[in-house]
Coordinates of all heavy atoms in Angstrom, one line a residue:
A166 N 16.5 -3.5 -8.4 CA 17.5 -3.3 -9.5 C 18.9 -3.4 -9.0 O 19.7 -4.0 -9.7 CB 17.2 -1.9 -10.1
L167 N 19.2 -2.9 -7.8 CA 20.5 -3.0 -7.3 C 20.9 -4.4 -7.0 O 22.0 -4.8 -7.2 CB 20.6 -2.1 -6.0 CG 20.6 -0.6 -6.2 CD1 20.4 0.1 -4.9 CD2 21.8 -0.1 -6.9
A168 N 19.9 -5.2 -6.4 CA 20.2 -6.6 -6.2 C 20.4 -7.3 -7.5 O 21.3 -8.2 -7.6 CB 19.0 -7.2 -5.4
G169 N 19.6 -7.0 -8.5 CA 19.7 -7.6 -9.8 C 21.1 -7.4 -10.4 O 21.7 -8.2 -11.1
L170 N 21.6 -6.2 -10.3 CA 22.9 -5.8 -10.8 C 24.0 -6.6 -10.1 O 24.9 -7.1 -10.8 CB 23.2 -4.3 -10.6 CG 22.4 -3.3 -11.4 CD1 22.6 -1.9 -10.9 CD2 22.7 -3.5 -12.9
A171 N 23.9 -6.9 -8.8 CA 24.9 -7.7 -8.1 C 24.8 -9.1 -8.6 O 25.8 -9.8 -8.8 CB 24.6 -7.6 -6.6
V172 N 23.6 -9.6 -8.8 CA 23.4 -11.0 -9.3 C 24.0 -11.1 -10.7 O 24.7 -12.1 -11.1 CB 22.0 -11.4 -9.3 CG1 21.8 -12.8 -10.0 CG2 21.4 -11.5 -7.9
A173 N 23.7 -10.1 -11.6 CA 24.2 -10.2 -13.0 C 25.7 -10.1 -13.0 O 26.4 -10.9 -13.8 CB 23.7 -9.0 -13.7
A174 N 26.3 -9.3 -12.2 CA 27.8 -9.2 -12.1 C 28.4 -10.5 -11.7 O 29.4 -11.0 -12.3 CB 28.2 -8.1 -11.2
L175 N 27.8 -11.1 -10.7 CA 28.3 -12.4 -10.2 C 28.2 -13.5 -11.3 O 29.1 -14.3 -11.5 CB 27.6 -12.8 -8.9 CG 28.0 -14.1 -8.2 CD1 29.5 -14.0 -7.8 CD2 27.1 -14.5 -7.1
G176 N 27.0 -13.5 -11.9 CA 26.8 -14.5 -13.0 C 27.8 -14.3 -14.2 O 28.3 -15.3 -14.7
I177 N 28.0 -13.1 -14.6 CA 28.9 -12.8 -15.7 C 30.3 -13.2 -15.3 O 31.1 -13.8 -16.1 CB 28.8 -11.4 -16.1 CG1 27.4 -11.1 -16.7 CG2 29.9 -11.0 -17.1 CD1 27.1 -9.6 -17.0
Y178 N 30.7 -12.8 -14.1 CA 32.1 -13.2 -13.7 C 32.3 -14.7 -13.6 O 33.3 -15.2 -14.1 CB 32.4 -12.5 -12.3 CG 33.6 -13.0 -11.6 CD1 34.9 -12.5 -12.1 CD2 33.6 -14.0 -10.7 CE1 36.1 -12.9 -11.5 CE2 34.8 -14.5 -10.1 CZ 36.0 -13.9 -10.5 OH 37.2 -14.4 -10.0
A179 N 31.4 -15.4 -13.0 CA 31.5 -16.8 -12.8 C 31.5 -17.5 -14.2 O 32.2 -18.5 -14.4 CB 30.4 -17.4 -12.0
S180 N 30.6 -17.0 -15.1 CA 30.5 -17.6 -16.4 C 31.9 -17.5 -17.2 O 32.3 -18.4 -17.8 CB 29.4 -16.9 -17.2 OG 29.4 -17.4 -18.5
H181 N 32.5 -16.3 -17.1 CA 33.7 -16.1 -17.8 C 34.9 -16.8 -17.0 O 35.8 -17.4 -17.7 CB 34.0 -14.6 -17.9 CG 35.2 -14.2 -18.7 ND1 35.3 -14.4 -20.0 CD2 36.4 -13.8 -18.3 CE1 36.5 -14.0 -20.5 NE2 37.2 -13.6 -19.4
R182 N 34.9 -16.7 -15.7 CA 36.0 -17.3 -14.9 C 36.1 -18.8 -15.1 O 37.2 -19.3 -15.2 CB 35.8 -16.9 -13.4 CG 36.8 -17.5 -12.5 CD 38.2 -16.9 -12.7 NE 39.2 -17.4 -11.7 CZ 39.8 -18.6 -11.8 NH1 39.5 -19.4 -12.8 NH2 40.6 -18.9 -10.9
F183 N 35.0 -19.5 -15.0 CA 35.0 -20.9 -15.1 C 34.6 -21.5 -16.4 O 34.5 -22.7 -16.6 CB 34.0 -21.5 -14.0 CG 34.3 -21.1 -12.6 CD1 33.6 -20.1 -12.0 CD2 35.5 -21.6 -12.0 CE1 33.9 -19.7 -10.7 CE2 35.8 -21.2 -10.7 CZ 35.0 -20.3 -10.0
D184 N 34.5 -20.6 -17.4 CA 34.1 -21.0 -18.8 C 32.9 -21.8 -18.8 O 32.8 -22.9 -19.4 CB 35.3 -21.7 -19.4 CG 35.1 -21.9 -21.0 OD1 34.4 -21.0 -21.5 OD2 35.7 -22.8 -21.5
M185 N 31.9 -21.4 -18.1 CA 30.6 -22.1 -18.0 C 29.5 -21.1 -18.4 O 28.9 -20.4 -17.5 CB 30.4 -22.6 -16.6 CG 31.4 -23.7 -16.2 SD 31.1 -24.3 -14.5 CE 29.4 -25.0 -14.6
P186 N 29.1 -20.9 -19.7 CA 28.1 -20.0 -20.1 C 26.8 -20.2 -19.4 O 26.0 -19.2 -19.3 CB 28.0 -20.2 -21.6 CG 29.3 -20.8 -22.0 CD 29.7 -21.7 -20.8
A187 N 26.5 -21.4 -19.0 CA 25.2 -21.6 -18.3 C 25.0 -20.8 -17.1 O 23.9 -20.5 -16.7 CB 25.0 -23.1 -18.0
L188 N 26.1 -20.5 -16.4 CA 26.0 -19.7 -15.2 C 25.4 -18.3 -15.4 O 24.8 -17.7 -14.6 CB 27.4 -19.6 -14.5 CG 28.0 -20.9 -14.0 CD1 29.3 -20.6 -13.4 CD2 27.0 -21.5 -12.9
D189 N 25.7 -17.8 -16.6 CA 25.1 -16.5 -17.0 C 23.6 -16.6 -17.1 O 22.9 -15.7 -16.7 CB 25.7 -16.0 -18.3 CG 25.3 -14.7 -18.8 OD1 25.3 -13.7 -17.9 OD2 24.9 -14.5 -19.9
G190 N 23.2 -17.7 -17.7 CA 21.7 -18.0 -17.8 C 21.1 -18.2 -16.4 O 20.0 -17.7 -16.1
A191 N 21.9 -18.8 -15.5 CA 21.4 -19.0 -14.1 C 21.2 -17.7 -13.4 O 20.2 -17.5 -12.7 CB 22.3 -19.9 -13.3
A192 N 22.1 -16.7 -13.7 CA 21.9 -15.4 -13.1 C 20.7 -14.7 -13.6 O 19.9 -14.1 -12.8 CB 23.2 -14.6 -13.4
S193 N 20.4 -14.9 -14.9 CA 19.1 -14.4 -15.4 C 17.9 -15.0 -14.8 O 16.9 -14.3 -14.5 CB 19.1 -14.6 -17.0 OG 18.0 -14.0 -17.6
V194 N 17.9 -16.3 -14.5 CA 16.8 -16.9 -13.8 C 16.6 -16.3 -12.4 O 15.5 -16.0 -12.0 CB 17.0 -18.4 -13.7 CG1 16.0 -19.1 -12.8 CG2 17.0 -19.1 -15.1
V195 N 17.7 -16.1 -11.7 CA 17.6 -15.6 -10.4 C 17.1 -14.1 -10.4 O 16.2 -13.8 -9.6 CB 19.0 -15.5 -9.7 CG1 19.0 -14.8 -8.4 CG2 19.5 -17.0 -9.5
I196 N 17.5 -13.4 -11.4 CA 16.9 -12.0 -11.6 C 15.4 -12.1 -11.8 O 14.7 -11.3 -11.3 CB 17.6 -11.3 -12.7 CG1 19.1 -11.0 -12.4 CG2 16.9 -10.0 -13.1 CD1 19.9 -10.5 -13.5
G197 N 15.0 -13.0 -12.6 CA 13.6 -13.2 -12.9 C 12.8 -13.5 -11.7 O 11.7 -13.0 -11.4
L198 N 13.3 -14.4 -10.8 CA 12.7 -14.8 -9.6 C 12.6 -13.6 -8.6 O 11.6 -13.4 -7.9 CB 13.4 -16.0 -9.0 CG 13.3 -17.3 -9.7 CD1 14.2 -18.4 -9.1 CD2 11.8 -17.8 -9.8
L199 N 13.7 -12.8 -8.6 CA 13.8 -11.7 -7.7 C 12.7 -10.7 -8.1 O 11.9 -10.2 -7.2 CB 15.1 -11.0 -7.8 CG 15.3 -9.7 -7.1 CD1 15.3 -9.9 -5.6 CD2 16.7 -9.1 -7.5
L200 N 12.5 -10.4 -9.4 CA 11.5 -9.5 -9.8 C 10.1 -10.0 -9.6 O 9.2 -9.2 -9.2 CB 11.7 -9.2 -11.3 CG 13.0 -8.4 -11.7 CD1 13.1 -8.3 -13.2 CD2 13.0 -7.1 -11.1
A201 N 9.9 -11.3 -9.8 CA 8.6 -11.9 -9.5 C 8.2 -11.8 -8.0 O 7.1 -11.5 -7.7 CB 8.6 -13.3 -9.9
G202 N 9.2 -12.0 -7.1 CA 9.0 -11.8 -5.7 C 8.6 -10.4 -5.3 O 7.6 -10.2 -4.5
V203 N 9.3 -9.4 -5.8 CA 9.0 -8.0 -5.5 C 7.6 -7.7 -6.1 O 6.8 -7.1 -5.4 CB 10.0 -7.1 -6.2 CG1 9.5 -5.7 -6.1 CG2 11.3 -7.2 -5.5
A204 N 7.2 -8.2 -7.3 CA 5.9 -8.0 -7.9 C 4.8 -8.6 -7.0 O 3.8 -7.9 -6.8 CB 5.9 -8.6 -9.3
V205 N 5.0 -9.8 -6.5 CA 4.0 -10.4 -5.6 C 3.7 -9.5 -4.4 O 2.5 -9.4 -4.0 CB 4.4 -11.8 -5.2 CG1 3.5 -12.4 -4.2 CG2 4.4 -12.7 -6.5
L206 N 4.7 -9.0 -3.8 CA 4.6 -8.1 -2.6 C 3.8 -6.9 -3.0 O 2.9 -6.5 -2.3 CB 5.9 -7.8 -2.0 CG 6.7 -8.9 -1.4 CD1 8.1 -8.4 -0.9 CD2 6.0 -9.5 -0.2
L207 N 4.1 -6.3 -4.1 CA 3.4 -5.1 -4.6 C 2.0 -5.4 -4.9 O 1.1 -4.5 -4.7 CB 4.2 -4.4 -5.8 CG 5.5 -3.9 -5.5 CD1 6.2 -3.4 -6.7 CD2 5.5 -2.7 -4.4
I208 N 1.7 -6.5 -5.6 CA 0.4 -6.9 -5.9 C -0.5 -7.1 -4.7 O -1.6 -6.6 -4.6 CB 0.4 -8.2 -6.8 CG1 0.9 -7.9 -8.2 CG2 -1.0 -8.8 -6.9 CD1 1.2 -9.1 -9.0
G209 N 0.1 -7.7 -3.7 CA -0.7 -7.9 -2.4 C -1.0 -6.6 -1.8 O -2.2 -6.4 -1.3
Q210 N -0.1 -5.6 -1.8 CA -0.4 -4.3 -1.2 C -1.5 -3.6 -2.0 O -2.4 -3.0 -1.4 CB 0.9 -3.5 -1.2 CG 0.7 -2.1 -0.5 CD 0.6 -2.2 1.0 OE1 0.6 -3.2 1.6 NE2 0.5 -1.0 1.6
A211 N -1.4 -3.6 -3.3 CA -2.4 -2.9 -4.2 C -3.7 -3.6 -4.0 O -4.8 -2.9 -4.0 CB -1.9 -3.0 -5.6
R212 N -3.8 -4.9 -3.9 CA -5.0 -5.6 -3.8 C -5.8 -5.2 -2.5 O -7.0 -4.9 -2.5 CB -4.8 -7.1 -3.7 CG -6.0 -7.9 -3.4 CD -5.7 -9.4 -3.3 NE -6.9 -10.2 -3.0 CZ -7.3 -10.4 -1.7 NH1 -6.6 -9.9 -0.7 NH2 -8.4 -11.1 -1.4
G213 N -5.0 -5.1 -1.4 CA -5.7 -4.7 -0.1 C -6.3 -3.3 -0.2 O -7.4 -3.1 0.3
L214 N -5.6 -2.4 -0.9 CA -6.1 -1.0 -1.0 C -7.2 -0.9 -1.9 O -8.2 -0.2 -1.7 CB -4.9 -0.1 -1.4 CG -3.8 0.1 -0.4 CD1 -2.6 0.8 -1.0 CD2 -4.3 0.8 0.8
L215 N -7.2 -1.7 -3.0 CA -8.3 -1.6 -4.0 C -9.6 -2.2 -3.5 O -10.7 -1.7 -3.8 CB -7.9 -2.4 -5.3 CG -7.0 -1.6 -6.3 CD1 -6.6 -2.6 -7.4 CD2 -7.8 -0.5 -6.9
I216 N -9.5 -3.3 -2.7 CA -10.8 -3.9 -2.2 C -11.3 -3.2 -0.9 O -12.3 -3.6 -0.4 CB -10.6 -5.4 -2.0 CG1 -9.6 -5.7 -0.9 CG2 -10.2 -6.1 -3.3 CD1 -9.4 -7.2 -0.6

Side-chain angles (χ1 to χ4, degrees):
L167 289 171
L170 291 171
V172 171
L175 182 61
I177 291 170
Y178 170 78
S180 175
H181 185 71
R182 175 69 175 79
F183 301 108
D184 194 23
M185 296 177 62
L188 293 178
D189 183 48
S193 184
V194 170
V195 173
I196 292 171
L198 293 175
L199 173 68
L200 293 176
V203 170
V205 168
L206 293 176
L207 293 176
I208 288 172
Q210 183 73 0
R212 174 183 176 274
L214 293 168
L215 276 173
I216 65 177

